[in-house]
Amino acid sequence: MRDVLDHLGPWYRDGQRFAVATVIDTFRSAPRLPGAAMAVSAGGEAVGSVSGGCVEGAVYELAREVIETGQPALARYGVADDDAFAVGLTCGGIIDILVQPVDAAGFAEFDEVAASIDTNPVAIATVVTPGPDLGNRVIIWPDRVSGGLGDAALDAAVIEDAVAMLEQGTTAVRHYGPRGERMREDVAVFVQSFAPPARMVVFGAIDFAAAVARIGKFLGYHVTVCDARPVFATRKRFPDAEEVVVDWPHRYLAAAIDQGLIDARTALCVLTHDPKFDVPLLELALRTDAGFIGAMGSRRTHQDRMTRLAELGLTDTELARLSSPIGLDLGARTPEETAVSIAAEIIAARWGAGGQPLSKTTGRIHGESVAHLRAMTAR
């Protein structure tokens, strides 16, 4: 979508309806990921791509129909098993496409959404189940929402999920019951996040780091593993990381800070438990905006580390940001169990949760995020 937005603003302000075709789901070796988009103007101009050329002609014709009727449409293209569709993907994959009409009457927030994409995170949740609610949408910013999907309970469930997906920068279809029930398949909702994936940086190329990188990727993080030792920091040992960097940890972090890569969504996991690596690293980390900073080590190691950091001039407030020893108390022993405990603490810290068994708590399971958003919207 980002690659076509420059064209859509003038089309929208001209007051003529245009159509946006978006990949909402893929199967097997589809050429484009969910969120890829192609737009067609009222005058017949086309920008963007949904398949790299395989089905653009058919999507173009469907988009022209949507412009004419003003009604959204769904289409599936590809080849599955022995069933051939009218238009196929040469790669053998399958893509689901949603084509939506866009004009001021049907999408009053379009200009605001387009402006937000380059400055603030925003997610659009759209019903993609065939029927009268197809194309209904709710738009989620970090501090407010707009629109609705046709049912208040469904809105609440979708907004909860969209807030979490926006936090991670993930895009996908989610399924619900007609009133937002979990574990149901009645209503499909496509949540498209316009935010880069949150970053997780794992310092220390040890066996625990491989497990943390794996679960970090599962949670939707852009994972980087950094270690100064080239014999350990290898792509073969960390296949789940997007980046494996050979550098001194504090030097890598300093460069990342200068590039603006460390923000409130970033998780920094320091697994080196060696003072020559982790003390200079944590001196920098605790002065950043990173949302989670945790360090591995025994309680004795932790106390020694805190003393060294205090001697370097870090304040009590800065030191209090450090989660050490890292992880929730799950009784973890193996690298995989330890990774789960670390991931659990990161999730709890992100949402301000206590990390207690749900069976021992009362009240809303998912906190007050939706109520807060609805309150903001009502102001």
Side-chain angles (χ1 to χ4, degrees), residues 99-120:
V99 186
Q100 301 178 85
V102 179
D103 56 26
F107 198 163
E109 307 94 340
F110 179 82
D111 258 346
E112 188 178 5
V113 170
S116 295
I117 286 176
D118 287 330
T119 58
N120 297 300

Side-chain angles (χ1 to χ4, degrees), residues 111-171:
D111 258 346
E112 188 178 5
V113 170
S116 295
I117 286 176
D118 287 330
T119 58
N120 297 300
V122 59
I124 304 174
T126 308
V127 173
V128 293
T129 303
D133 292 332
L134 175 65
N136 285 358
R137 71 175 70 88
V138 61
I139 303 163
I140 302 98
W141 287 272
D143 59 349
R144 65 195 189 282
V145 299
S146 178
L149 305 179
D151 180 88
L154 176 61
D155 287 352
V158 171
I159 291 168
E160 283 182 343
D161 286 350
V163 167
M165 294 173 69
L166 185 59
E167 180 77 13
Q168 292 302 107
T170 55
T171 289

